[in-house]
Amino acid sequence: MNGDARGWRIALVPEALINPPGRAALPNVFGALEASGYGVLQLPPPGNHGLLLAVIADQVAEYAHHGYAVVAIGVRGETGGLHWRRLAPLLRHRGVALPPRHLIRPDADAAVEAERCAAFLSGYDLPVEEQRRWRV
């Protein structure tokens, strides 16, 4: 059996960061995620996606209940794309703590934002006792 390439880490990432609008000078979030060993769970673009968000909440719950560190990376402002108002209650209903969020500032220097994102990602993991429980 091969190891998990995700490194026991999953990031919720909005469509806006995966397919950034042409005018946005956003940092390479994928590079930071890959360097920190994170897999990606893509969130849909803005809109009413109730059923899809419920399925995503189920997936996040499975990851969280099986020892994965889960984070959310969004974009500050109206294009953030995390669907937090709808996703947060769905996660709470499934007994999942809300993942820590990091918001990219679209008006800031992309290189600085890439460094901030990388520092956030590398600095987060489950508590050691939880890691021992699942990752042995």
Side-chain angles (χ1 to χ4, degrees):
M1 181 182 277
N2 292 333
D4 189 334
R6 293 170 293 209
W8 292 91
R9 295 173 179 90
I10 293 292
L12 298 171
V13 181
E15 190 265 345
L17 283 173
I18 292 174
N19 298 307
R23 67 189 193 297
L26 297 172
N28 177 5
V29 172
F30 278 123
L33 290 166
E34 184 177 34
S36 297
Y38 277 82
V40 173
L41 185 55
Q42 180 180 342
L43 295 169
N48 185 10
H49 303 286
L51 291 176
L52 180 56
L53 291 174
V55 170
I56 290 170
D58 288 339
Q59 291 173 326
V60 170
E62 281 298 309
Y63 282 121
H65 292 302
H66 288 93
Y68 281 74
V70 180
V71 298
I73 308 294
V75 180
R76 182 169 287 166
E78 58 190 73
T79 62
L82 288 176
H83 300 275
W84 213 246
R85 286 190 180 116
R86 180 71 177 120
L87 197 54
L90 291 168
L91 292 172
R92 284 189 202 105
H93 178 73
R94 287 157 176 80
V96 176
L98 297 181
R101 290 182 288 175
H102 176 80
L103 297 177
I104 301 293
R105 295 180 300 213
D107 57 343
D109 180 79
V112 171
E113 287 302 295
E115 288 177 20
R116 283 184 59 243
C117 184
F120 168 77
L121 292 169
S122 66
Y124 178 73
D125 204 343
L126 295 179
V128 174
E129 54 277 0
E130 280 293 304
Q131 291 179 35
R132 286 187 191 130
R133 178 178 174 207
W134 293 104
R135 302 177 188 174
V136 177

